[in-house]
Amino acid sequence: MFSSTPRPLDSLYLVPTVHSVHLSANVSSPSSSSLPFQEQKAKYYEHLQAAVDVVERACRLCVDVQKSLFSSDGKIIQKLDRTPVTIADFGVQALVSLAEEDSAFVRENNLVDAVVQVVADKSSISNKALSQEDVLKAIDRGGKDAYSFGPEPATYWILDPIDGTRGFVKGSEALYVVGLALVVEGEIVLGVMGCPNWRDGDSDVFDTEVQRDESTVSRSGIIMISHVGCGTWKTRSWNAQNGNTGMAHKWTRCLVDSFHNVCEARFCIPESQTWESLPLSTQFSATTNANSVGEKHILLLPACCGSQHAYYNALNGLTASQNLFSFSLCKYLMVASGRASVFFLRARTKRIIKVWDHAVGVICIHEAGGKVTDWKGSQLDFAVDQTERRVIYPSGGVLVTNDNLHNQILEIISSST
């Protein structure tokens, strides 16, 4: 049913599998997205080029939609429904042609015109404007019921259109991520994460204007890529405020941090879970103040994917807000870039853990030198849901580390449960 390897690029689309699952962005000039390693070393080089292109387009779409949340003076406009994030969500799905739902939801909620409008200037077919039918077919092409899998290893794309929807509606101070990964015969072979309002301390990742003015709403954005055997890399994506998209990519290699002791590590956990609910709390107390970390304390980063000001405050010993948003892919991005050492997630009986919240993060961590397992030390099984490939069942939860700490933490978990 599935092709053994993704088919190469044609003039318009990336076609990795059967069932016409496309990347809808126009990638007729893949050289525009130059990568930091030679094409001869990367089997899926062109696929990664196309994925970078479409994720950048998707991020720009999100930025455009997010602007509708703000008044002219920069204040958040209160909205009673989720219309902006829904438009952005389906807009990204239309660009990539990988949808969680089909277009019926868009039609039933009178969102067709809005979705088409935000997609139209980010994608084209032979330089012709997209019609409503084009966009709706793109959504349906990868919808939930478009096809089913089987027990054999498969080749397919995994998309998270907006990881961090609450961060999206909160505004520029909260992060959200567009994530895309390619699975070939059951193995994740490449991944791209785009975070439109990421602010980094490296001068090559964001504008010097942002460095001089911490309060500015302008963000350069970050694109993180990974290819099996070629490492994990990051680059500034664009200036979200002035729309400058013509700059050449300057890539920086990403490596996990090198901490060896648990008490030195920087932890992040979901906002819905407390440190006291996790196994390490039996041996370590958590603090969000770096100046208060003692022998039996760990530093808990309160804002990996919420206000970045709070993240910097924690490292500088300042009081951090607790009303923060935090999401899975952003935490993977934090660990892969060396900002955090450990991401801890407890599996809950009534909570479904979705594949798209972890897939692209896993390859970015692995290629950056880190490790991802469940709480028993087993690899995450992305094929356990044989019919739809949408759910994973990690034993106990998910543990993401810099590798140096992995076995130590697994031992503590084992002794505490």
Side-chain angles (χ1 to χ4, degrees), residues 101-317:
E101 305 292 343
D102 58 31
S103 63
F105 181 92
V106 179
R107 300 174 192 270
E108 293 167 2
N109 289 272
N110 298 317
L111 295 174
V112 174
D113 290 340
V115 171
V116 171
Q117 181 178 352
V118 299
V119 172
D121 65 344
K122 301 296 185 297
S123 183
S124 63
I125 299 178
S126 300
N127 296 320
K128 294 171 60 177
L130 293 175
S131 66
Q132 285 190 1
E133 183 180 4
D134 293 328
V135 173
L136 295 174
K137 282 185 177 180
I139 293 173
D140 289 336
R141 190 179 293 129
K144 182 177 180 180
D145 298 322
Y147 54 88
S148 61
F149 293 84
E152 298 301 319
T155 297
Y156 53 97
W157 290 94
I158 300 174
L159 169 72
D160 194 341
I162 301 178
D163 183 72
T165 53
R166 283 177 292 175
F168 179 86
V169 298
K170 185 174 177 63
S172 63
E173 282 303 302
L175 306 184
Y176 60 93
V177 174
V178 176
L180 182 63
L182 175 61
V183 178
V184 176
E185 294 298 306
E187 178 188 6
I188 303 174
V189 298
L190 66 83
V192 181
M193 286 192 282
C195 183
N197 56 352
W198 176 273
R199 183 174 58 217
D200 196 285
D202 298 334
S203 60
D204 65 321
V205 178
F206 70 104
D207 290 317
T208 54
E209 290 297 325
V210 176
Q211 288 176 295
R212 290 196 294 267
D213 183 3
E214 288 289 322
S215 64
T216 180
V217 297
S218 176
R219 297 291 185 273
S220 64
I222 185 176
I223 294 290
M224 178 176 284
I225 68 169
S226 187
H227 186 291
V228 60
C230 296
T232 296
W233 303 77
K234 67 179 179 179
T235 185
R236 181 174 69 175
S237 51
W238 76 96
N239 186 302
Q241 195 170 38
N242 62 29
N244 180 13
T245 61
M247 66 182 69
H249 287 303
K250 182 178 179 182
W251 296 97
T252 303
R253 186 72 179 263
C254 292
L255 296 172
V256 294
D257 71 28
S258 57
F259 292 126
H260 285 77
N261 298 320
V262 174
C263 60
E264 297 175 326
R266 297 163 294 179
F267 286 74
C268 47
I269 63 175
E271 64 148 348
S272 60
Q273 299 181 11
T274 64
W275 179 254
E276 289 71 26
S277 70
L278 300 173
L280 268 67
S281 64
T282 61
Q283 297 189 27
F284 298 92
S285 298
T287 178
T288 57
N289 188 330
N291 294 334
S292 300
V293 178
E295 183 179 352
K296 287 296 183 179
H297 289 80
I298 60 92
L299 179 62
L300 185 62
L301 302 180
C304 296
C305 304
S307 166
Q308 289 200 67
H309 288 305
Y311 165 78
Y312 290 114
N313 287 343
L315 296 186
N316 292 318

Side-chain angles (χ1 to χ4, degrees), residues 11 32 41 93 105 129 174 208 231 240 256 274 287 327-328 331 340 358 396:
S11 60
S32 62
K41 296 182 179 180
Q93 293 177 34
F105 181 92
T208 54
V256 294
T274 64
T287 178
F327 308 95
S328 294
K331 291 187 178 67
H358 298 271

